[in-house]
Amino acid sequence: MIWNRLDRIAHVLRPQRQAAILLIDAALIVLAWHATYLFRMGVERWLHERPSYDTVVLLGVIAVYSAVSWALGVPRAAWRYTSFNEITRLGWVCLGGGLASAVVVLMAQLVEIPRAVLALHPFMVLVTWSLARMLVRMLSEQSRARREGANVTGRRAIVLGAGAAAKLLIAGIQHRGWTVMGLLDDDPRKHGARMAGVTVWGGLDKLQAEGTLDDVTHLVLAMPSASGAQRKRALDMAAATGLPVLTVPSADELREGGSRIDRVRDIEPDDLLGREPVKLDESALSALVSGQTVMVTGAGGSIGSELCRQIARFGPSRLVLFELSEFALYNIEQDLSERFPRVPLVRLVGDVKDLPELRRVMNRCLPDLVFHAAAYKHVPLMEDDNAWIALRNNTLGTYQVAQAAGECGVKRFVLISTDKAVNPTNVMGATKRAAEMVVSHWATQMPGTRYMAVRFGNVLGSSGRVIPKFKEQIAKGGPVTVTHPDITRYFMTIPEAAQLVLQAAVLAESGQVFVMDMGAAVRIADLAREMILLSGHTEAEIPIVFSGLRPGEKLFEELLADADTTLATPHPRLRLAQLRGELPADWIERLLALAQDESASVPSTLRQRLHGLVPEYQPR
């Protein structure tokens, strides 16, 4: 195809595009010069009856036209997008270049150059320049129409990455109305190659080159197997362009069968973290879970549901789903039944505050492993009117699930804890720290069961978190609300958190608290800015508004208290917290009394008595 050949030539010339355009335009000036002589003097005389200095005059004319063309920015325009405005600019170049050339020739008294040639040549140049550009645009649009078919949507993309994923992507999206303009890949061996009829223009740094993004509406990241750091770098470069950025599913999503490579999606916040995938000890996890009865409390929540999915991969004999919300239980049951049809499910609506029900369930199901993920986690909601119920659910609930687990001979009990349990300043964090202390208590009381806790920070995409809120605000056109310009948080993905919880369950001895490697803390305002940019907007269009810290909220979260230290474990993403101090003799008695005392439903009373249970709790 003619356009494909021209496109290959254009790709070779792309690094020196402006110089190449000047040379092509110069060749067209020469063509127009000879055509003008032919028109003026006829076929017999046009070549032979010329002055000896004709070639010198022609070189001078080329120099004048090139100078005017450069001054008006003509070489910077892409021919495939030539418009009426561009033709108008060419007209001004021809007018200026023609007048300047004629004046110089006349002043130099080069009388053998026909005056008619000087007068007609600018028009000939305009015609040849315009025809050349319109021909390129016509071939470009014909090629694009063939690729788009009848389903024209106006979406024109550059694909970042030129591997197997990009090839499959192009084949898929071009049938859905997309036009792939070009590919960018940092592998120099691929530069200049063609894939599914599309040229690899160069490396990702081409995004910053002039003309690369002409008429492009989207960027698509097609690097599912790249490292987290490589994907993060590509996303940062893409965000700087101001265009909407999409991506193909990650390697994990493809492996789990949740999506196809040709189904582009919006950039999710976990794409921005640039974290490497968790490497699990699969054989140890299989030995822990395979053939066992596993119970998950809070099975329909963000963490609980992902834990269920990860556990189901290793073939438990039975998976017991214990959940207070009927709707959440239905959702996870449907999801697991579709993904893992061979895993038997026990679906139970139940409340962790109901000890008789917990005992009945565990004595009937006899779980080998219990993962306790049921908790109220939204800091502002739990700070005042719901403070007492937060204590009853998060702390008393943990006490009762752990008690029932020990009584029925569960092998391992794992509490899902939080970084907000460290030096807590809010009720939610204090109740989770008290839950960790409950685990330490039962570890000494029930030697037949291994009790442990796993502590981590914010999980991207979990219900009630800031990221889904940002996405909703961006979709509505803003503004995006952030509590404080300097507030930072630790983040990890839901699958990453669930996998590390399982890995900790393999490693833990009774009474231990594990801390996950959360990476570097992320400034929330910076994350909001990246999400705005990757949606194709600017802060001028979707502003960020700072609303002020909410009750109980910290500027900076911690993963360990000041008096704590950590030890390395066999897994590089897990560390073992050594928590100092023992529980007072009457601690459990005071906890149970507080959980049953309805006078503690007054928030100020609850905070005061909770401080007595958790001395490091400092209400704000």
Side-chain angles (χ1 to χ4, degrees), residues 221 223 226-236 250 267-278 460 491-493 496 517-520 522 527 530 534 573:
L221 181 65
M223 303 166 60
S227 68
Q230 289 171 326
R231 286 173 61 87
K232 181 66 167 62
R233 172 180 173 270
L235 284 172
D236 288 344
S250 67
I267 297 296
E268 297 294 339
D270 48 311
D271 294 310
L272 304 176
L273 290 184
R275 294 170 67 88
E276 298 300 326
V278 175
L460 287 171
F491 285 103
M492 69 193 322
T493 67
E496 184 179 14
D517 170 20
M518 299 294 295
V522 176
L527 186 59
E530 284 194 87
L534 288 168
R573 302 283 286 277

Short mmCIF file of all heavy atoms in Angstrom, two decimals, residues 221 223 226-236 250 267-278 460 491-493 496 517-520 522 527 530 534 573:
data_model
loop_
_atom_site.label_atom_id
_atom_site.label_comp_id
_atom_site.label_asym_id
_atom_site.label_seq_id
_atom_site.Cartn_x
_atom_site.Cartn_y
_atom_site.Cartn_z
N LEU A 221 -1.36 2.34 27.59
CA LEU A 221 -0.20 1.64 28.13
C LEU A 221 -0.41 0.14 27.93
O LEU A 221 -1.36 -0.44 28.46
CB LEU A 221 -0.03 1.96 29.62
CG LEU A 221 1.16 1.31 30.33
CD1 LEU A 221 2.47 1.84 29.77
CD2 LEU A 221 1.09 1.56 31.82
N MET A 223 1.85 -2.61 28.60
CA MET A 223 3.07 -3.21 29.17
C MET A 223 2.69 -4.09 30.36
O MET A 223 3.14 -3.84 31.49
CB MET A 223 4.03 -2.10 29.59
CG MET A 223 4.43 -1.16 28.47
SD MET A 223 5.24 0.37 29.05
CE MET A 223 6.67 -0.28 29.90
N ALA A 226 5.67 -5.65 32.33
CA ALA A 226 6.77 -4.80 32.77
C ALA A 226 6.79 -4.73 34.29
O ALA A 226 5.79 -5.00 34.97
CB ALA A 226 6.61 -3.40 32.18
N SER A 227 7.95 -4.37 34.83
CA SER A 227 8.06 -4.21 36.28
C SER A 227 7.22 -3.02 36.74
O SER A 227 6.85 -2.15 35.94
CB SER A 227 9.52 -4.00 36.68
OG SER A 227 9.98 -2.74 36.21
N GLY A 228 6.95 -2.98 38.03
CA GLY A 228 6.18 -1.88 38.57
C GLY A 228 6.84 -0.54 38.32
O GLY A 228 6.18 0.45 37.99
N ALA A 229 8.16 -0.50 38.46
CA ALA A 229 8.89 0.75 38.24
C ALA A 229 8.80 1.20 36.79
O ALA A 229 8.67 2.39 36.49
CB ALA A 229 10.35 0.58 38.66
N GLN A 230 8.87 0.24 35.84
CA GLN A 230 8.78 0.60 34.42
C GLN A 230 7.40 1.12 34.07
O GLN A 230 7.27 2.11 33.34
CB GLN A 230 9.11 -0.64 33.57
CG GLN A 230 10.57 -1.05 33.61
CD GLN A 230 10.80 -2.39 32.93
OE1 GLN A 230 9.96 -3.29 32.97
NE2 GLN A 230 11.96 -2.54 32.30
N ARG A 231 6.36 0.48 34.60
CA ARG A 231 5.00 0.96 34.35
C ARG A 231 4.78 2.33 34.96
O ARG A 231 4.15 3.21 34.36
CB ARG A 231 3.98 -0.04 34.91
CG ARG A 231 3.84 -1.30 34.09
CD ARG A 231 2.95 -2.32 34.79
NE ARG A 231 1.60 -1.84 35.01
CZ ARG A 231 0.62 -1.95 34.13
NH1 ARG A 231 0.83 -2.50 32.96
NH2 ARG A 231 -0.60 -1.51 34.43
N LYS A 232 5.34 2.54 36.16
CA LYS A 232 5.19 3.84 36.83
C LYS A 232 5.87 4.94 36.01
O LYS A 232 5.33 6.04 35.86
CB LYS A 232 5.80 3.77 38.23
CG LYS A 232 5.69 5.08 39.03
CD LYS A 232 4.23 5.40 39.34
CE LYS A 232 4.10 6.49 40.39
NZ LYS A 232 4.67 7.77 39.95
N ARG A 233 7.07 4.67 35.49
CA ARG A 233 7.77 5.66 34.66
C ARG A 233 6.96 5.99 33.41
O ARG A 233 6.80 7.17 33.06
CB ARG A 233 9.14 5.12 34.25
CG ARG A 233 9.88 5.99 33.23
CD ARG A 233 11.24 5.43 32.86
NE ARG A 233 11.85 6.17 31.77
CZ ARG A 233 11.69 5.88 30.48
NH1 ARG A 233 10.94 4.85 30.13
NH2 ARG A 233 12.27 6.60 29.55
N ALA A 234 6.43 4.96 32.75
CA ALA A 234 5.63 5.20 31.56
C ALA A 234 4.39 6.02 31.88
O ALA A 234 4.02 6.93 31.13
CB ALA A 234 5.24 3.87 30.92
N LEU A 235 3.75 5.73 33.01
CA LEU A 235 2.56 6.48 33.40
C LEU A 235 2.89 7.93 33.72
O LEU A 235 2.13 8.84 33.38
CB LEU A 235 1.89 5.82 34.60
CG LEU A 235 1.09 4.55 34.29
CD1 LEU A 235 0.64 3.89 35.58
CD2 LEU A 235 -0.11 4.88 33.42
N ASP A 236 4.02 8.16 34.37
CA ASP A 236 4.43 9.53 34.69
C ASP A 236 4.65 10.33 33.40
O ASP A 236 4.24 11.50 33.30
CB ASP A 236 5.71 9.53 35.52
CG ASP A 236 5.47 9.07 36.95
OD1 ASP A 236 4.30 9.04 37.37
OD2 ASP A 236 6.45 8.70 37.64
N SER A 250 -3.40 -5.80 33.83
CA SER A 250 -2.09 -6.22 34.34
C SER A 250 -1.92 -7.72 34.16
O SER A 250 -2.86 -8.45 33.84
CB SER A 250 -1.97 -5.86 35.82
OG SER A 250 -2.88 -6.64 36.57
N ILE A 267 -6.84 4.01 34.07
CA ILE A 267 -5.75 3.82 35.01
C ILE A 267 -6.31 3.77 36.41
O ILE A 267 -7.09 4.64 36.82
CB ILE A 267 -4.72 4.96 34.90
CG1 ILE A 267 -4.09 4.97 33.50
CG2 ILE A 267 -3.64 4.83 35.96
CD1 ILE A 267 -3.28 3.74 33.18
N GLU A 268 -5.96 2.74 37.15
CA GLU A 268 -6.37 2.62 38.54
C GLU A 268 -5.24 3.11 39.45
O GLU A 268 -4.07 3.09 39.06
CB GLU A 268 -6.71 1.17 38.88
CG GLU A 268 -7.88 0.61 38.08
CD GLU A 268 -9.20 1.29 38.40
OE1 GLU A 268 -9.30 1.89 39.50
OE2 GLU A 268 -10.12 1.24 37.58
N PRO A 269 -5.59 3.55 40.67
CA PRO A 269 -4.55 4.06 41.57
C PRO A 269 -3.44 3.05 41.86
O PRO A 269 -2.29 3.44 42.06
CB PRO A 269 -5.34 4.39 42.84
CG PRO A 269 -6.71 4.70 42.36
CD PRO A 269 -6.94 3.78 41.21
N ASP A 270 -3.76 1.73 41.86
CA ASP A 270 -2.69 0.77 42.14
C ASP A 270 -1.67 0.74 41.00
O ASP A 270 -0.53 0.33 41.20
CB ASP A 270 -3.24 -0.63 42.40
CG ASP A 270 -4.26 -1.06 41.37
OD1 ASP A 270 -5.17 -0.28 41.09
OD2 ASP A 270 -4.14 -2.18 40.85
N ASP A 271 -2.07 1.19 39.78
CA ASP A 271 -1.10 1.31 38.69
C ASP A 271 -0.06 2.38 39.00
O ASP A 271 1.06 2.35 38.48
CB ASP A 271 -1.80 1.67 37.38
CG ASP A 271 -2.73 0.58 36.88
OD1 ASP A 271 -2.28 -0.58 36.82
OD2 ASP A 271 -3.89 0.87 36.57
N LEU A 272 -0.44 3.37 39.82
CA LEU A 272 0.44 4.49 40.10
C LEU A 272 1.49 4.18 41.16
O LEU A 272 2.47 4.90 41.29
CB LEU A 272 -0.39 5.70 40.58
CG LEU A 272 -1.51 6.16 39.65
CD1 LEU A 272 -2.29 7.29 40.30
CD2 LEU A 272 -0.94 6.60 38.33
N LEU A 273 1.30 3.11 41.93
CA LEU A 273 2.22 2.82 43.02
C LEU A 273 3.57 2.32 42.53
O LEU A 273 4.60 2.54 43.15
CB LEU A 273 1.62 1.79 43.98
CG LEU A 273 0.44 2.24 44.83
CD1 LEU A 273 0.03 1.14 45.78
CD2 LEU A 273 0.78 3.50 45.61
N GLY A 274 3.57 1.60 41.40
CA GLY A 274 4.81 1.06 40.88
C GLY A 274 5.41 -0.02 41.77
O GLY A 274 6.63 -0.20 41.81
N ARG A 275 4.57 -0.76 42.50
CA ARG A 275 5.06 -1.79 43.40
C ARG A 275 5.19 -3.11 42.66
O ARG A 275 4.41 -3.45 41.78
CB ARG A 275 4.11 -1.95 44.58
CG ARG A 275 4.07 -0.73 45.48
CD ARG A 275 2.93 -0.84 46.49
NE ARG A 275 3.12 -1.89 47.45
CZ ARG A 275 3.77 -1.74 48.61
NH1 ARG A 275 4.29 -0.58 48.92
NH2 ARG A 275 3.89 -2.75 49.45
N GLU A 276 6.23 -3.87 43.02
CA GLU A 276 6.44 -5.17 42.40
C GLU A 276 5.46 -6.19 42.97
O GLU A 276 5.05 -6.10 44.13
CB GLU A 276 7.88 -5.65 42.65
CG GLU A 276 8.94 -4.73 42.05
CD GLU A 276 8.80 -4.59 40.54
OE1 GLU A 276 8.40 -5.58 39.89
OE2 GLU A 276 9.08 -3.50 40.01
N PRO A 277 5.05 -7.19 42.17
CA PRO A 277 4.12 -8.20 42.67
C PRO A 277 4.70 -8.98 43.84
O PRO A 277 5.91 -9.17 43.95
CB PRO A 277 3.92 -9.12 41.45
CG PRO A 277 4.35 -8.32 40.28
CD PRO A 277 5.41 -7.38 40.77
N VAL A 278 3.81 -9.41 44.73
CA VAL A 278 4.23 -10.21 45.88
C VAL A 278 4.63 -11.60 45.40
O VAL A 278 3.92 -12.23 44.60
CB VAL A 278 3.09 -10.32 46.91
CG1 VAL A 278 3.48 -11.25 48.04
CG2 VAL A 278 2.74 -8.94 47.43
N LEU A 460 -5.85 0.24 48.50
CA LEU A 460 -6.42 0.95 47.37
C LEU A 460 -7.72 0.30 46.90
O LEU A 460 -7.78 -0.90 46.69
CB LEU A 460 -5.43 0.95 46.20
CG LEU A 460 -4.22 1.87 46.37
CD1 LEU A 460 -3.23 1.61 45.26
CD2 LEU A 460 -4.63 3.32 46.37
N PHE A 491 0.06 2.94 51.21
CA PHE A 491 -0.94 2.26 50.38
C PHE A 491 -0.41 0.93 49.88
O PHE A 491 0.78 0.75 49.67
CB PHE A 491 -1.30 3.11 49.15
CG PHE A 491 -2.19 4.28 49.45
CD1 PHE A 491 -1.67 5.56 49.52
CD2 PHE A 491 -3.53 4.11 49.67
CE1 PHE A 491 -2.47 6.65 49.79
CE2 PHE A 491 -4.36 5.19 49.94
CZ PHE A 491 -3.83 6.45 50.00
N MET A 492 -1.33 0.00 49.67
CA MET A 492 -1.03 -1.23 48.96
C MET A 492 -2.31 -1.70 48.28
O MET A 492 -3.41 -1.23 48.59
CB MET A 492 -0.46 -2.30 49.90
CG MET A 492 -1.42 -2.85 50.90
SD MET A 492 -0.61 -3.82 52.21
CE MET A 492 0.67 -4.68 51.35
N THR A 493 -2.16 -2.63 47.35
CA THR A 493 -3.33 -3.12 46.64
C THR A 493 -4.03 -4.20 47.46
O THR A 493 -3.43 -4.83 48.33
CB THR A 493 -2.94 -3.70 45.28
OG1 THR A 493 -2.16 -4.88 45.48
CG2 THR A 493 -2.14 -2.70 44.47
N GLU A 496 -2.41 -7.64 47.02
CA GLU A 496 -1.13 -7.66 47.71
C GLU A 496 -1.34 -7.86 49.22
O GLU A 496 -0.65 -8.68 49.85
CB GLU A 496 -0.41 -6.33 47.45
CG GLU A 496 0.98 -6.23 48.03
CD GLU A 496 1.63 -4.90 47.72
OE1 GLU A 496 0.92 -3.96 47.28
OE2 GLU A 496 2.84 -4.78 47.92
N ASP A 517 5.51 -4.61 54.52
CA ASP A 517 6.29 -3.58 53.85
C ASP A 517 5.35 -2.77 52.97
O ASP A 517 4.88 -3.24 51.94
CB ASP A 517 7.39 -4.22 53.00
CG ASP A 517 8.09 -3.20 52.10
OD1 ASP A 517 8.01 -2.00 52.40
OD2 ASP A 517 8.70 -3.62 51.10
N MET A 518 5.06 -1.55 53.39
CA MET A 518 4.12 -0.71 52.67
C MET A 518 4.80 0.21 51.67
O MET A 518 4.15 1.02 51.00
CB MET A 518 3.31 0.13 53.66
CG MET A 518 2.48 -0.66 54.65
SD MET A 518 1.15 -1.58 53.86
CE MET A 518 0.17 -0.23 53.24
N GLY A 519 6.13 0.12 51.57
CA GLY A 519 6.83 1.04 50.68
C GLY A 519 6.88 2.43 51.26
O GLY A 519 6.73 2.64 52.47
N ALA A 520 7.06 3.42 50.39
CA ALA A 520 7.14 4.81 50.84
C ALA A 520 5.74 5.37 51.04
O ALA A 520 4.79 5.00 50.34
CB ALA A 520 7.91 5.64 49.82
N VAL A 522 2.75 7.92 50.65
CA VAL A 522 2.30 8.67 49.48
C VAL A 522 1.57 9.92 49.94
O VAL A 522 0.69 9.86 50.80
CB VAL A 522 1.36 7.80 48.62
CG1 VAL A 522 0.81 8.60 47.45
CG2 VAL A 522 2.08 6.55 48.14
N LEU A 527 -1.23 12.22 44.81
CA LEU A 527 -2.01 11.13 44.20
C LEU A 527 -3.24 11.69 43.50
O LEU A 527 -3.60 11.27 42.39
CB LEU A 527 -2.41 10.12 45.27
CG LEU A 527 -3.11 8.84 44.79
CD1 LEU A 527 -2.24 8.07 43.81
CD2 LEU A 527 -3.46 7.97 45.98
N GLU A 530 -2.18 13.26 40.18
CA GLU A 530 -1.91 12.26 39.15
C GLU A 530 -3.20 11.69 38.58
O GLU A 530 -3.33 11.48 37.37
CB GLU A 530 -1.05 11.13 39.71
CG GLU A 530 0.41 11.49 39.88
CD GLU A 530 1.27 10.26 40.11
OE1 GLU A 530 1.71 9.64 39.13
OE2 GLU A 530 1.50 9.92 41.28
N LEU A 534 -4.17 11.94 34.64
CA LEU A 534 -4.36 10.72 33.86
C LEU A 534 -5.79 10.59 33.32
O LEU A 534 -6.03 9.80 32.41
CB LEU A 534 -4.00 9.50 34.71
CG LEU A 534 -2.51 9.33 34.98
CD1 LEU A 534 -2.26 8.28 36.05
CD2 LEU A 534 -1.76 8.97 33.69
N ARG A 573 8.86 -8.98 52.39
CA ARG A 573 7.81 -7.96 52.51
C ARG A 573 7.10 -8.03 53.86
O ARG A 573 6.11 -7.34 54.07
CB ARG A 573 6.78 -8.16 51.38
CG ARG A 573 7.38 -8.07 49.98
CD ARG A 573 7.64 -6.65 49.57
NE ARG A 573 6.41 -5.96 49.25
CZ ARG A 573 5.81 -6.04 48.07
NH1 ARG A 573 6.31 -6.75 47.10
NH2 ARG A 573 4.71 -5.36 47.85
#
